[in-house]
Amino acid sequence: MFNILEEPLIRMRTREGSRIASLPEVYAGLTRYEIDAFPALRPHQRHAWHAFLVQLGVMAMREGGASEPPHTATEWDGLIRGLTPDYPDDEPWRLVVEDVTKPAFMQPPASSKEKEADYKNTVDTPDQLDMLVTSKNHDLKSAVSLQAEVDDWIFALITLQTMEGFSGAGNYGISRMNGGLGNRPALSLAPVGGVGAHVRRDIRALLAGYQSILNEYSMTEDGIRLLWLQSWDGAKSEKILPNRLNPLYLEICRRIRLRSESRRNLYAIRATSKSERIEAKSMKGLMGDPWTMVSRKDVKSLTLANGGFNYKRIAAYLTSADWEYPSLLRTAPFEESSEAEMLLVARGMVRGQGKTEGYHERVIPIRHRARTAMLGRRRDPELGEIANDRINQIGIVRRILSHAIQRFLTRGENKPASPEQRALAGPWLDRLDDIIDARFFEDLQIEFEASESDQDNIRRQWLMNGGDVVIDHARSLLSEAVETLPCPRIHRYRARVNAENLFEGRLRGNSGLPFLFDTEREGNRECINAKPEDTQKLIEI
């Protein structure tokens, strides 16, 4: 029942309108660039679905001897079925298989029918099954998908089994993350062109780099590819060693079975286990995931922290020698001669202990020269130097803005701010970061691509042009802060003037950005002769 290879179960939006398709039809639509979106797919499920399609597609193509992603559903159907030749009735591709000793889609079999008694918990809706922690109803309301369609269950099941971490006794996580409270972030290049272009590119790139992945990790071409085909009763003795796996294995981390009371009424039953499915704790997430960054310093996979993919982190990932790119973030052999703009796609769900701390996604256009410098065979250190210089200069402006806001909060007096007052400056600094972040990589590439003689002027214009750049925004934020933050009226004028004087003075000082300021550029600005080196000597009202 609910055979995803034969039945139209997955809703998709195409150029011709919306329709429902089988899995082979989805692959065909993607490789022909016909699909715009999957309406049932929630944002945090995007990478799970994308990775599933790519990993399954590559393994099916290698098994079937295909060198290029086919364009017809018939061809894809044959390739996918080639991964499960021992199941003529397609049990591994059916959502509901009543016999618990047989696999179902993303659902491992038990060793005997008696083991069905282990499945004591019932899950009524797909969002209850999903990896998002919603039991306290803080971020997303739980159990609201009462009118769920079949593809809601498909996406929830794939996300749970390939992205989930530890969530309490008997509920262990996947092997492709560093620890049970980690996560599985993804960074890759993608061509401009939508979801189909991204899937097709990653399939082709993995096919081209498959042997290097095989050589790097202790896995085998003939290893286990679909873990839901393996019997699992949840015992410690059943843990699978990494050397038994195919490099692109599709894993499962929970004992789940779907059931159906009617054609439209699916539900799940689940059982706990006594250990992880894969014996990979010592691997620290280094399981060949082609989307996840690896820390060379700590020798472990990246765990995305709060704040997500801000410009500082992305710049560090791309330019620091401390990070090793995943294979799909590198330029593939067939892309090296292309001068087309590509996209850097970053996705990740931040998980805490017993809670979800936010889903983060970022798409950054990367032009040819920057892509070659960062993601080609050899990194060009110049781009990293420019990025680090810019980040350091942003840091100077942030510190000066923070100091100025604190001076206002101390009523203009030259004394240390309290912890509470320092905390009040935080949101304004975050707003400055958000403004800069929106254009950071576009502006970075403009400077990098410019001639050496133009780079200095471009940097000056980026820092201050009297309009909408770093220092100009900081000035505006300071003005807004002193209008809104608390200060007794009797002290407000003095506090404001001293805060603004401090801001302008420190910018011109040796610890600021003095190269931006000279009499020719500044004209008759009031603070041009301020002595900023010692902020205690600033004009006090």
Side-chain angles (χ1 to χ4, degrees):
M1 191 181 296
F2 302 103
N3 186 333
I4 66 172
L5 297 185
E6 295 183 348
E7 300 178 51
L9 300 174
I10 301 167
R11 287 170 285 175
M12 58 188 195
R13 190 164 60 246
T14 71
R15 289 171 293 185
E16 286 74 34
S18 298
R19 65 188 182 94
I20 306 177
S22 66
L23 184 60
E25 289 170 337
V26 166
Y27 271 108
L30 289 169
T31 53
R32 293 196 299 259
Y33 305 150
E34 295 174 350
I35 299 176
D36 294 328
F38 298 94
L41 193 67
R42 305 169 83 186
H44 73 279
Q45 298 172 335
R46 287 175 187 149
H47 179 61
W49 178 233
H50 173 83
F52 168 84
L53 290 169
V54 172
Q55 290 167 249
L56 180 64
V58 173
M59 290 188 292
M61 288 177 62
R62 285 190 62 84
E63 178 66 18
S67 58
E68 285 290 327
H71 293 284
T72 69
T74 301
E75 292 173 286
W76 275 111
D77 182 73
L79 291 175
I80 296 171
R81 278 196 166 95
L83 294 173
T84 54
D86 297 331
Y87 297 92
D89 294 328
D90 287 340
E91 287 93 345
W93 308 108
R94 296 178 182 272
L95 290 180
V96 178
V97 176
E98 294 294 339
D99 187 345
V100 76
T101 65
K102 294 181 179 180
F105 179 67
M106 302 297 290
Q107 305 159 58
S111 62
S112 67
K113 292 185 178 181
E114 287 72 25
K115 291 295 181 179
E116 188 164 359
D118 292 350
Y119 293 78
K120 299 176 181 179
N121 297 318
T122 300
V123 180
D124 295 317
T125 64
D127 57 328
Q128 282 182 297
L129 186 68
D130 203 346
M131 65 180 290
L132 283 180
V133 180
T134 56
S135 60
K136 294 182 180 180
N137 288 337
H138 288 167
D139 294 329
L140 295 174
K141 297 297 182 181
S142 61
V144 297
S145 302
L146 298 177
Q147 301 299 319
E149 298 291 341
V150 175
D151 53 354
D152 292 307
W153 285 99
I154 291 172
F155 296 143
L157 192 58
I158 291 172
T159 304
L160 172 78
Q161 297 287 40
T162 64
M163 302 289 287
E164 181 63 290
F166 178 78
S167 56
N171 296 294
Y172 295 92
I174 63 171
S175 61
R176 285 190 169 108
M177 64 170 60
N178 178 33
L181 298 181
N183 46 57
R184 187 191 176 191
L187 292 94
S188 71
L189 278 175
V192 176
V195 293
H198 192 186
V199 169
R200 189 174 187 274
R201 179 265 175 185
D202 280 4
I203 287 176
R204 294 183 66 213
L206 279 183
L207 286 169
Y210 185 86
Q211 192 59 47
S212 63
I213 298 175
L214 196 63
N215 294 339
E216 187 173 354
Y217 295 92
S218 300
M219 300 180 189
T220 173
E221 171 75 18
D222 297 327
I224 300 170
R225 292 173 293 203
L226 311 179
L227 264 75
W228 68 88
L229 303 185
Q230 308 296 309
S231 177
W232 186 29
D233 294 333
K236 291 182 179 180
S237 59
E238 296 175 292
K239 286 197 286 189
I240 297 172
L241 296 175
N243 61 8
R244 293 184 55 203
L245 300 170
N246 180 282
L248 297 178
Y249 66 97
L250 279 166
E251 67 182 303
I252 50 96
C253 64
R254 300 293 171 84
R255 299 168 67 199
I256 300 286
R257 301 293 293 198
L258 293 190
R259 294 288 182 257
S260 175
E261 292 178 350
S262 66
R263 181 68 187 175
R264 292 182 56 83
N265 189 9
L266 285 168
Y267 66 97
I269 55 176
R270 59 185 175 186
T272 58
S273 57
K274 297 186 182 300
S275 69
E276 302 90 343
R277 185 65 179 111
I278 297 173
E279 179 61 273
K281 188 174 182 179
S282 63
M283 300 297 291
K284 297 183 179 180
L286 304 183
M287 297 293 288
D289 191 344
W291 290 277
T292 300
M293 302 287 292
V294 173
S295 169
R296 289 193 175 110
K297 182 178 179 180
D298 301 320
V299 195
K300 62 184 181 182
S301 67
L302 168 67
T303 294
L304 184 64
N306 278 337
F309 298 104
N310 59 50
Y311 68 93
K312 296 176 188 176
R313 284 185 183 157
I314 291 286
Y317 296 156
L318 297 182
T319 63
S320 171
D322 292 338
W323 292 100
E324 180 179 342
Y325 298 156
S327 59
L328 291 176
L329 186 55
R330 303 186 188 111
T331 301
F334 53 83
E335 295 166 334
E336 290 178 354
S337 61
S338 171
E339 296 189 3
E341 180 179 87
M342 296 190 72
L343 307 173
L344 189 158
V345 180
R347 294 168 174 158
M349 170 69 73
V350 179
R351 301 175 60 257
Q353 189 165 0
K355 59 183 178 179
T356 297
E357 296 184 352
Y359 172 73
H360 302 274
E361 180 170 330
R362 183 165 192 171
V363 178
I364 301 171
I366 304 288
R367 294 192 288 273
H368 170 67
R369 188 177 171 195
R371 172 165 57 88
T372 301
M374 289 189 297
L375 307 173
R377 292 184 178 181
R378 294 183 180 179
R379 295 189 192 183
D380 185 338
E382 181 187 356
L383 186 61
E385 291 167 3
I386 294 174
N388 290 330
D389 282 349
R390 284 176 168 243
I391 290 171
N392 289 336
Q393 289 169 341
I394 293 168
I396 290 171
V397 176
R398 278 173 50 92
R399 289 192 292 272
I400 293 172
L401 176 60
S402 178
H403 192 181
I405 292 173
Q406 292 174 47
R407 177 60 56 88
F408 175 79
L409 291 169
T410 58
R411 304 179 182 182
E413 297 179 11
N414 182 18
K415 65 179 183 180
S418 68
E420 292 78 13
Q421 290 170 330
R422 290 196 295 272
L424 285 174
W428 302 96
L429 306 183
D430 292 342
R431 284 182 59 186
L432 178 63
D433 263 351
D434 289 342
I435 292 168
I436 294 168
D437 201 329
R439 283 190 51 88
F440 181 85
F441 291 100
E442 172 67 19
D443 292 335
L444 173 64
Q445 291 177 84
I446 290 172
E447 180 176 341
F448 176 65
E449 293 172 346
S451 64
E452 188 174 349
S453 60
D454 290 336
Q455 286 183 335
D456 180 66
N457 188 54
I458 288 172
R459 177 70 63 85
R460 289 171 178 269
Q461 290 293 314
W462 172 72
L463 285 166
M464 187 176 67
N465 65 9
D468 60 351
V469 288
V470 178
I471 290 174
D472 305 307
H473 284 303
R475 283 192 180 117
S476 297
L477 289 170
L478 176 60
S479 178
E480 187 177 343
V482 299
E483 289 292 333
T484 57
L485 288 172
C487 181
R489 179 175 296 180
I490 193 172
H491 300 292
R492 181 171 287 276
Y493 178 74
R494 176 176 183 266
R496 175 172 190 153
V497 171
N498 285 347
E500 291 174 347
N501 281 349
L502 184 149
F503 180 85
E504 298 296 339
R506 281 198 61 186
L507 278 176
R508 292 163 175 77
N510 291 337
S511 62
L513 301 171
F515 66 91
L516 292 174
F517 301 89
D518 56 50
T519 54
E520 293 181 0
R521 284 192 175 86
E522 287 295 284
N524 296 320
R525 185 177 290 276
E526 286 185 3
C527 297
I528 192 63
N529 294 317
K531 302 297 183 181
E533 292 83 351
D534 183 356
T535 56
Q536 296 184 13
K537 295 181 182 179
L538 290 171
I539 298 173
E540 297 283 348
I541 300 299

